């Protein structure tokens, strides 16, 4: 089974041809391309886009997102998203202007609901990974310039690395069982990497596919 855990289709102003023919399952990432102080970025846009689809709808799953600085209580907002079928939660500290110290309640929600965290940050996650040992963390691709920190994080069994925007020369230095395939499409051009089939099913280890 081929799974792409990182596409941004369905968000306003993101107009691109679907590439669903390459995959059995696609996860929709609601994060905006640029920084904002939004509570949930494009989540509800993607939800409505998917709700209104007539074709290939069964291929898509939703990822949730939450900004800890949001005025809407976490339990209310993530509760709404969970009812709408999210299978994981995206965190983007730098884009939303918060610190790693602010995410504990989000991590607790994800752990309680047995969902992975997809996180894009240059902040050190070691303490949170050690505290939340039953929670899976997927580090989104652009983390790779901080190689030493990434290698240290991948020593933990509950940490994976997602491939979007990362050169294959770098990915080849990471054990394939720690890689999760994500294209970043259409923020990034789709590249049909030669080892998609090798790593794609790793997503089944961390995501409940219904």
């Amino acid at each position: 089974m081929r799974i792409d855990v990182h596409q941004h289709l369905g968000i306003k102003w993101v107009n691109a041809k679907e590439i669903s023919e390459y995959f059995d399952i696609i996860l929709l990432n609601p994060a905006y391309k640029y920084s904002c102080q939004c509570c949930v970025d494009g989540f509800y846009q993607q939800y409505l886009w998917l709700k209104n689809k007539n074709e290939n709808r069964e291929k898509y799953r939703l990822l949730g997102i939450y900004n800890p600085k949001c005025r809407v209580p976490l339990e209310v907002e993530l509760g709404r998203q969970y009812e709408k079928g999210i299978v994981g939660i995206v965190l983007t500290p730098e884009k939303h202007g918060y610190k790693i110290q602010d995410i504990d309640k989000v991590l607790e929600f994800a752990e309680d609901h047995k969902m992975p965290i997809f996180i894009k940050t240059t902040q050190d996650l070691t303490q949170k990974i050690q505290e939340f040992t039953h929670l899976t963390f997927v580090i989104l691709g652009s983390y790779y310039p901080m190689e030493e920190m990434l290698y240290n994080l991948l020593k933990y069994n509950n940490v994976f690395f997602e491939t979007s925007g990362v050169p294959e020369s770098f990915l080849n230095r990471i054990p394939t069982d720690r890689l999760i395939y994500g294209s970043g499409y259409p923020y990034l051009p789709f590249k049909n990497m030669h080892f998609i089939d090798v790593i794609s099913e790793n997503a089944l280890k961390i995501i409940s596919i219904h």
Side-chain angles (χ1 to χ4, degrees):
M1 178 178 285
R2 281 185 169 183
I3 302 174
D4 184 349
V5 303
H6 188 173
Q7 290 194 22
H8 298 271
L9 292 170
I11 299 177
K12 189 177 181 180
W13 301 303
V14 175
N15 299 311
K17 177 184 176 182
E18 293 183 50
I19 54 172
S20 58
E21 66 271 17
Y22 292 99
F23 302 100
D24 300 293
I25 298 292
I26 294 168
L27 273 57
L28 295 174
N29 185 322
Y32 287 139
K33 188 172 184 178
Y34 301 109
S35 300
C36 75
Q37 295 304 308
C38 311
C39 286
V40 295
D41 286 24
F43 173 78
Y44 290 101
Q45 296 166 28
Q46 286 185 331
Y47 170 73
L48 292 174
W49 179 82
L50 183 56
K51 184 177 181 181
N52 293 327
K53 278 186 65 62
N54 295 319
E55 299 179 1
N56 296 324
R57 180 177 175 178
E58 72 283 354
K59 287 197 174 188
Y60 293 96
R61 304 293 187 277
L62 294 164
L63 292 176
I65 192 169
Y66 185 75
N67 181 349
K69 298 169 72 174
C70 183
R71 293 183 179 180
V72 180
L74 178 147
E75 295 81 5
V76 173
E77 180 53 51
L78 286 180
R80 290 172 184 162
Q81 295 183 30
Y82 185 73
E83 290 176 356
K84 290 175 169 41
I86 62 172
V87 297
I89 299 172
V90 177
L91 292 174
T92 57
E94 280 76 18
K95 286 188 175 183
H96 279 151
Y98 59 86
K99 301 293 184 182
I100 289 299
Q101 292 85 345
D102 302 328
I103 67 174
D104 280 10
K105 288 186 177 181
V106 181
L107 301 186
E108 290 168 4
F109 185 96
E111 191 172 53
D112 289 344
H113 292 80
K114 297 179 172 57
M115 294 186 296
I117 288 289
F118 292 79
I119 187 164
K120 182 173 184 178
T121 185
T122 56
Q123 300 176 53
D124 189 357
L125 293 169
T126 302
Q127 183 177 350
K128 300 305 177 188
I129 290 167
Q130 291 173 341
E131 291 176 4
F132 292 86
T133 57
H134 298 292
L135 178 63
T136 299
F137 294 81
V138 180
I139 299 170
L140 296 175
S142 60
Y143 206 97
Y144 77 91
M146 305 183 69
E147 295 185 28
E148 184 176 353
M149 188 182 297
L150 174 62
Y151 292 142
N152 287 333
L153 295 178
L154 288 172
K155 294 176 183 178
Y156 296 93
N157 292 330
N158 58 331
V159 180
F160 293 83
F161 184 59
E162 182 262 344
T163 63
S164 64
V166 182
E168 285 194 51
S169 59
F170 180 84
L171 296 175
N172 287 333
R173 300 200 293 273
I174 298 175
T176 55
D177 64 347
R178 311 312 298 279
L179 291 173
I180 302 290
Y181 180 76
S183 66
Y185 183 80
Y187 289 170
L188 297 170
F190 175 61
K191 294 190 296 185
N192 195 351
M193 295 188 297
H194 72 274
F195 58 86
I196 287 180
D197 289 324
V198 176
I199 68 170
S200 191
E201 289 199 16
N202 288 341
L204 293 176
K205 300 174 184 177
I206 65 169
I207 298 170
S208 176
I209 300 295
H210 303 291

